[in-house]
Amino acid sequence: MILTAVRPTSVAENRDSGKGMLGTALTQLNSIFNLLDLNEGLRAIISQPERELTVAVPVRHDDGIVRVYTGFRVQHSSARGPCKGGIRYHPVVDLNEVRALALLMTLKCAVTNLPYGGAKGGISVDPTGLSDFELERLTRRYAAMIMPILGGKRDIPAPDINTNPRIMAWFMDTVSMIQGQLSPEVVTGKPIELGGSQGRIDATGRGVAISTVEMLRRLGSDPKDMRIAVQGYGNVGFYAANILAREYGCRIVGISDVSGGLYNPKGLPLTSLSDFVANNPGNFLESYMSNGHLDKISNEELLTLDVDVLIPAAIENQITVNNADRIQAKVLVEGANGPTTFEADVILQERGIHVVPDILANAGGVIVSYLEWVQDLQWFFLEASEVQTQLHDVMLRAFEEVWSVAESRQIDLRSAAYLLAVQRVGEAIDQRGIFP
Ligand code: NAD
């Protein structure tokens, strides 16, 4: 298959407009509009969020002092179903980032053909500086503040960076207490005991592993021979690395987190590393006692390692014009949302590096979130094996559909995924018509 990057203008011309995640996503969207026969009205609708909410979140800290944090919830589209998207706690969260992530969610749900629109939320906060009680009060107040626009048929949050099943449990409990009824369908990624789904915790990492192996298969490469580096050892990176190693026999040679990375060209001791991470919550990889055969490397070094597959699974804007020329991997699978800037993407395509885009590669989480929501609405729960089968089937169907578009249009996989998604969202808006 010939992969040709869709580039509306030159890299230099896009340097300013492509700033930040929102710029990258909108630039890519515009380039796809030019390939599709979408009218101006539809383009305008898809280019901006339906609804945005900014809230003040006052929290009484353990020392008695009240501090006010800023929270957001952006609903990009409800054309194809209720809005769906995670909640992120991070110091650099701002409205533009949440807008970009909400747009990506609309596209992700459309490319996997889930009956959802897209949303995202977050609080600008460093949660590592909060006690458990402060974290709970922050979550409950934020949930109450955005509750007017949430609901199982309106908008359904889920975990993202620095949020987890426990936080989703507080979220669900807050909404249920205020509504006076148990409402498990209001949020996904909950603990199993509270209506969570089997297989949700590792779903995004498993989806990343499935799309990595599928990409390798289509390129004629045996996963067992592959050397893989993973940036980020949180929910996505941890499970992606472990599933690729244990279930597909890949060699994980590099991993990293915010504290830095570890490298061994012969393969990392993942079992011992995973035990360390599981038994020392809150500790970073830098405090892992090396057995003497591991090299400590920086995140920048990890991205440019001599590997076959690179999986950025940490945060956005990691592969930029500053390092795209030095990426040695032949395949890049985007576990994180928006890890590659628009300009870097063009460089990767020109260098013949195959990129499995975020809206396809990391869709495993929202696929199992969808299964969780369906189970909650029916009060009927699936076995782990059933969830895994469904996840596998939906991921592979989406991959095949994106691949077919890429082949028939002779375009790269990201452009193909965007094209398929925008087409589906456009059709839904068109068929519903414009109210009133
Ligand atoms: P997480 O908080 O569980 O883990 C994030 C990891 O990235 C941690 O290991 C952290 O130390 C590391 N990290 C943070 N800043 C870094 C930096 N500057 N350099 C290197 N590493 C850094 O988050 P997660 O849920 O694993 O999410 C990771 C990415 O995947 C995000 O982009 C998120 O939006 C995306 N994503 C997550 C899900 C999900 O279900 N959790 C689904 C789809 C996409």
Side-chain angles (χ1 to χ4, degrees):
M1 180 172 62
I2 301 165
L3 297 174
T4 314
V6 173
R7 43 187 312 183
T9 48
S10 75
V11 174
E13 281 167 312
N14 268 299
R15 205 151 263 161
D16 286 335
S17 63
K19 261 186 201 155
M21 246 185 122
L22 186 59
T24 296
L26 288 176
T27 307
Q28 191 69 37
L29 195 60
N30 277 320
S31 67
I32 296 310
F33 286 157
N34 294 334
L35 291 183
L36 283 171
D37 189 20
L38 275 192
N39 65 49
E40 283 302 321
L42 284 176
R43 292 175 183 217
I45 291 172
I46 297 172
S47 297
Q48 58 181 313
E50 282 178 11
R51 188 179 282 121
E52 300 180 346
L53 184 59
T54 300
V55 294
V57 187
V59 176
R60 189 180 303 283
H61 283 238
D62 296 345
D63 58 8
I65 294 175
V66 173
R67 295 183 180 84
V68 181
Y69 299 91
T70 305
F72 308 95
R73 185 72 184 171
V74 172
Q75 297 173 341
H76 174 262
S77 173
S78 59
R80 303 183 74 254
C83 299
K84 187 86 189 82
I87 284 171
R88 174 177 290 199
Y89 291 173
H90 199 274
V92 303
V93 163
D94 65 19
L95 192 51
N96 274 338
E97 181 185 87
V98 181
R99 283 176 178 147
L101 291 164
L103 164 61
L104 290 183
M105 282 307 298
T106 297
L107 301 177
K108 196 179 298 182
C109 294
V111 87
T112 44
N113 221 353
L114 299 175
Y116 280 142
K120 202 79 183 188
I123 306 178
S124 177
V125 60
D126 177 7
T128 58
L130 300 181
S131 71
D132 280 1
F133 284 129
E134 289 164 348
L135 194 61
E136 179 175 351
R137 287 194 287 269
L138 176 85
T139 300
R140 289 186 181 279
R141 183 62 184 248
Y142 171 65
M145 294 302 288
I146 65 169
M147 209 186 102
I149 62 169
L150 300 185
K153 288 186 182 169
R154 287 191 192 134
D155 182 359
I156 307 138
D160 192 68
I161 292 179
N162 290 325
T163 54
N164 55 29
R166 189 170 65 143
I167 289 175
M168 295 304 114
W170 290 330
F171 218 99
M172 186 275 276
D173 182 68
T174 302
V175 173
S176 297
M177 295 311 288
I178 294 173
Q179 288 184 336
Q181 60 178 30
L182 188 60
S183 307
E185 74 285 355
V186 78
V187 62
T188 58
K190 302 178 295 293
I192 304 274
E193 301 74 20
L194 298 177
S197 178
Q198 298 287 345
R200 175 62 183 88
I201 192 77
D202 65 359
T204 308
R206 181 170 294 282
V208 169
I210 292 169
S211 44
T212 303
V213 170
E214 185 60 16
M215 185 73 217
L216 292 171
R217 193 184 69 75
R218 284 170 190 257
L219 295 175
S221 305
D222 184 349
K224 289 197 173 62
D225 299 333
M226 295 293 112
R227 297 157 306 148
I228 300 182
V230 182
Q231 186 199 35
Y233 211 53
N235 178 274
V236 181
F238 176 90
Y239 286 110
N242 280 278
I243 291 169
L244 279 165
R246 287 182 191 155
E247 299 184 23
Y248 296 100
C250 302
R251 193 166 15 129
I252 308 297
V253 298
I255 58 168
S256 71
D257 65 13
V258 70
S259 69
L262 298 170
Y263 174 61
N264 184 337
K266 294 189 176 139
L268 293 169
L270 275 196
T271 306
S272 144
L273 271 162
S274 302
D275 286 350
F276 171 79
V277 171
N279 295 327
N280 299 278
N283 272 359
F284 294 114
L285 289 174
E286 68 176 358
S287 50
Y288 175 79
M289 284 300 132
S290 151
N291 60 14
H293 300 295
L294 304 181
D295 288 333
K296 290 194 175 168
I297 55 171
S298 68
N299 263 289
E300 191 55 34
E301 287 169 325
L302 179 123
L303 294 174
T304 54
L305 282 176
D306 177 17
V307 290
D308 302 296
V309 180
L310 174 64
I311 303 180
I315 54 168
E316 57 277 359
N317 296 334
Q318 294 302 292
I319 297 154
T320 68
V321 283
N322 297 325
N323 58 13
D325 279 331
R326 289 180 287 119
I327 303 287
Q328 298 192 62
K330 287 118 207 129
V331 172
L332 192 143
V333 183
E334 294 185 332
N337 284 314
T340 313
T341 65
F342 181 83
E343 295 86 347
D345 201 29
V346 174
I347 296 170
L348 297 179
Q349 301 296 341
E350 284 172 351
R351 293 186 56 218
I353 296 172
H354 300 273
V355 178
V356 185
D358 47 9
I359 61 170
L360 176 62
N362 70 31
V366 74
I367 292 168
V368 177
S369 272
Y370 164 69
L371 296 175
E372 178 176 334
W373 177 70
V374 170
Q375 292 171 78
D376 289 340
L377 290 171
Q378 298 180 345
W379 298 90
F380 180 82
F381 293 90
L382 301 174
E383 300 295 331
S385 58
E386 296 172 297
V387 171
Q388 272 192 27
T389 303
Q390 299 252 14
L391 168 62
H392 198 260
D393 291 352
V394 177
M395 283 298 301
L396 288 191
R397 188 191 63 208
F399 199 109
E400 169 56 31
E401 287 177 341
V402 170
W403 186 270
S404 299
V405 173
E407 268 195 328
S408 64
R409 295 258 190 170
Q410 294 290 289
I411 54 178
D412 62 286
L413 290 177
R414 188 190 311 281
S415 302
Y418 266 62
L419 194 146
L420 189 61
V422 170
Q423 212 162 19
R424 285 178 176 161
V425 176
E427 273 166 20
I429 297 170
D430 202 33
Q431 284 172 14
R432 285 179 66 158
I434 306 299
F435 176 85

